[in-house]
Structures are given as structure tokens and as C-alpha cells.
Amino acid sequence: MNQIGKNHKTLLLILSWAIWAVYTPALADEFEVFDKLDDQVEMGADDSPVEEEIEHPSWFKLSFLDMRDDLQEAKDADKKGIALYFGQKNCAYCKALMEINFKTPDIVRFTRKNFDIIPIDIWGGKLVTDLNGETLSERKLAIREKMNFTPSFLVFDTEGNEVLRLRGYYPPYTFRAALRYVAEGRYKEESLRAYMDRADPPGKFDLEDMNEQPFFLKPPYALGRTKIPAERPLIVFFEQKSCHACDILHTGPIGDKDTVEMLQQFDTVQLDARSDDPVITPQGKRTTANDWARELNIFYTPALIFFDENGNEILRLDSVTRLYRLKGVMKYVLTKAYEQYPTYVEYRYGRRDAF
């Protein structure tokens, strides 16, 4: 690129940031702070279970696990609701949550002010009473709520309405914005995707191309498979231009030889979640990549959506994803383990119990 081109690109970046900052000044200030923290989210290819046990912060609520009481106490304390934290003791992603997000003073202050965090061990046997009065073990609760990946959060407002699900680990800025979405009551007016559209500065994703791979199918994107079943399962990669997390996915997990060999057993499609590229969805609906991403409430990229040969969604990876987790999910899909274990968390329980 010549100097004029570089100057033009820089000018576009400055203008897009300036316009965005005028309309969302608070979010712009937050992004400057949290963008530096997001750079710490570099777990590389090693997201395998860690040796040391992960402990949650002492300020997490010491609960008797009756959610009705927990909700009333949060309400009495003038908080915005309660959040069930689903974790496990040797989870690399949980470690990132504790050592990055919950070591950030602003996130800690904001979370403690607005929510009571109630820890749930997805392998645990303690009894939990939900808001409807049903009592079940931590493990069965995780299965019922399809908490396939840790850390995950299930957030309820003070009226007991479920208002947010976060599946997996999110970098500090995205995590803080999602909590703010609830605390400010934005969930009453708009989807999380719509809120994050305003929270993300345009300059982040408008200036560079996406990462191409030889195994991605080329357009037209006719993904319908309800009338005539496909021969292979499908992965839809929702990404964005100038997406740092997308770059890491391609240079890390997708750069692994064994991963590529597994990916070649799927039909794989890469879509720009912000584009108007025409798409026929696996269910046969004509739409655009942007509208489909909105319908699926995709608010974080990269997001990988897995479909079976008949166009049914199996599960999704829509949070930070590294090698160990990606390979595990692909194996779950390729072996059709979902026919025996409807959720990935049940599959993991089954494999663990087998040993």
C-alpha cells in the first residue's frame, strides 16, 4: 500500500472512531481501557485442563443454593439481580476469567455493585433449588441449562427473569459490556447483539479483509439441507474484518495440522457477520449474513455454529475458543455422540464416568 493509501486508511479509522465516540462516549472511554486488557487474552493453543485448582474470589456469594432466597437478598440489597457462575476446578478458561477479568478493579467493582455471583460446580453434587422451587444437583442443573462450556453465566433480573446467558470465556471489554447491558436494563429494549453493535467501535472491523482458508466453501452460500440431507455436518464461521480474536483462531487452532484434517470432514463456510452477502440457511430461509447473525444473536466473533446433515443446530462455540475445546467439539459432532448425549456437557460427563 502506498503512502497515500496508508494516509487514507488512517483518516478513515480516525473518522470512524470519532463518530462512534460522539454517539457512545461512555462506551468509547471503556474501550480504551479494556482494549489493553483484551490483549492479555492470549492463551495460545494450550487450553487443556490446568494442574492447579481454580478458586473463585472470596466475594462470590456464600450461598445455601436456594435461588429464591438469593434473589430476594439481592433485591433487598438494591442490586440488579443474581448470576449463576458455572465453573470447574481445572478449567483454563475459568483461570483466565479469574486472573484477567476478575483481577480488573473496574470489573470487580461493577460486578459486586450490581450482582450477587453464585458459584455452581458443573461436576458438583450439592443440591440447588431453582426459582420455581425444583431441587436438583449442581451437575443436573448444568445439564438442564445446557452449560456446555465453562465459565458460563446465567443471569436473572430482580423479577426472576432470565436476561442473559454467557457461554464460555469472553475478554474483559465484551464481558463488562454484557454485564452493563443487564445492569442498565437494556435487555428490556434490545437484543445483546444490537447493544454490542453500538458498543463495538466501527474502526475495529471495517478496514481489513477476513482470513481465508482453502477449505471454506465459495459463494453462493446455499446451505439448505432440510429437503435433501447433506453428506457431511456443517460449520458456519461467523467472523468480521479486522477481528483480532478471529486472527488468533486462524493462526492458532486452525493452524494446527490435526485440526485442519478434522475440519476437512465438515462442510465449512465463512460469513462476514456484518455483510449483506445473500445466504440460504440450513433450514432453507433466504436472508443475509448480517440478518442471520442478528437472528442467531451473534454478538461475539468468531462464532462457530455446528449443524447436522439435516440442518439442525447441534451447538455453538461463540466465545474465546482454543485448540483443546475446538477439537473436543469437532469430535463430538463427527462421531455423532450428540445422538447419545444431547448436550456437550452430558458427553463430557459420560466420558469422565466411563473412566
Side-chain angles (χ1 to χ4, degrees):
M1 182 182 292
N2 59 32
Q3 188 60 44
I4 294 176
K6 290 180 179 178
N7 291 339
H8 180 65
K9 180 176 178 180
T10 302
L11 178 60
L12 285 174
L13 179 62
I14 293 172
L15 287 174
S16 63
W17 263 89
I19 293 171
W20 175 81
V22 167
Y23 286 100
T24 53
L27 293 175
D29 290 342
E30 284 182 9
F31 186 83
E32 282 191 38
V33 175
F34 290 113
D35 189 43
K36 297 176 182 178
L37 291 171
D38 286 1
D39 288 340
Q40 296 180 35
V41 186
E42 302 286 352
M43 290 184 290
D46 188 12
D47 61 336
S48 56
V50 297
E51 293 184 2
E52 71 273 20
E53 290 192 355
I54 309 303
E55 296 184 359
H56 53 72
S58 59
W59 52 266
F60 276 22
K61 185 174 183 180
L62 184 60
S63 169
F64 290 106
L65 300 182
D66 188 324
M67 293 172 57
R68 299 167 299 182
D69 292 340
D70 291 326
L71 187 65
Q72 185 59 52
E73 290 168 9
K75 195 172 184 177
D76 293 343
D78 200 28
K79 297 192 176 185
K80 304 300 182 182
I82 60 174
L84 301 186
Y85 159 72
F86 292 83
Q88 52 184 321
K89 296 184 181 299
N90 302 102
C91 165
Y93 297 92
C94 301
K95 181 179 181 181
L97 175 74
M98 301 307 167
E99 295 188 354
I100 299 177
N101 299 33
F102 285 145
K103 287 292 180 65
T104 304
D106 181 78
I107 290 179
V108 172
R109 285 194 299 269
F110 187 86
T111 304
R112 296 186 69 175
K113 176 182 177 181
N114 292 291
F115 305 98
D116 280 336
I117 308 296
I118 301 162
I120 302 291
D121 182 351
I122 68 166
W123 303 102
K126 294 179 182 178
L127 295 180
V128 182
T129 301
D130 68 15
L131 294 176
N132 294 318
E134 180 181 353
T135 299
L136 65 172
S137 69
E138 295 170 287
R139 175 169 166 161
K140 288 184 177 180
L141 177 64
I143 291 174
R144 190 189 74 182
E145 299 300 335
K146 299 181 180 179
M147 291 300 166
N148 290 318
F149 309 108
T150 54
S152 287
F153 286 86
L154 188 56
V155 185
F156 298 87
D157 67 11
T158 52
E159 300 305 313
N161 301 308
E162 179 190 321
V163 293
L164 179 66
R165 281 179 181 244
L166 294 177
R167 297 174 290 250
Y169 174 74
Y170 293 93
Y173 176 72
T174 305
F175 182 72
R176 170 68 155 75
L179 293 181
R180 180 172 178 170
Y181 166 76
V182 176
E184 294 183 348
R186 300 292 184 179
Y187 63 90
K188 300 175 183 177
E189 306 167 0
E190 59 185 340
S191 68
L192 181 57
R193 161 66 191 261
Y195 178 77
M196 293 302 294
D197 278 350
R198 294 187 292 105
D200 274 335
K204 283 181 65 182
F205 46 76
D206 280 351
L207 302 175
E208 294 181 8
D209 293 333
M210 297 196 298
N211 297 277
E212 296 183 358
Q213 296 290 350
F215 47 78
F216 285 147
L217 298 177
K218 303 299 181 184
Y221 301 119
L223 309 181
R225 42 182 58 200
T226 53
K227 294 182 179 179
I228 302 177
E231 295 181 356
R232 306 193 295 181
L234 168 70
I235 310 176
V236 178
F237 287 71
F238 281 100
E239 302 188 39
Q240 293 184 126
K241 297 176 180 178
S242 294
C243 166
H244 181 56
C246 302
D247 294 339
I248 293 175
L249 177 70
H250 284 267
T251 58
I254 296 182
D256 176 76
K257 180 182 177 182
D258 293 337
T259 302
V260 172
E261 290 179 355
M262 295 181 74
L263 283 168
Q264 290 172 341
Q265 299 177 59
F266 291 86
D267 289 332
T268 55
V269 173
Q270 181 190 51
L271 297 178
D272 182 344
R274 309 280 176 169
S275 78
D276 292 323
D277 293 339
V279 179
I280 299 177
T281 71
Q283 292 294 323
K285 180 180 178 181
R286 293 181 179 273
T287 184
T288 66
N290 181 46
D291 287 343
W292 191 24
R294 287 179 183 275
E295 182 181 334
L296 294 171
N297 201 23
I298 301 297
F299 66 91
Y300 176 84
T301 56
L304 282 60
I305 317 296
F306 292 76
F307 297 88
D308 68 14
E309 290 82 350
N310 295 303
N312 301 304
E313 181 179 333
I314 302 171
L315 81 171
R316 59 180 67 184
L317 287 168
D318 53 358
S319 54
V320 173
T321 300
R322 298 293 185 261
L323 186 65
Y324 182 82
R325 179 164 289 178
L326 178 58
K327 281 187 172 180
V329 169
M330 288 196 295
K331 182 178 180 181
Y332 170 71
V333 175
L334 288 172
T335 60
K336 295 186 181 296
Y338 55 86
E339 294 180 349
Q340 179 180 0
Y341 302 105
T343 65
Y344 186 67
V345 68
E346 287 176 276
Y347 167 67
R348 295 180 61 219
Y349 288 144
R351 291 181 63 198
R352 174 164 165 166
D353 291 346
F355 288 102

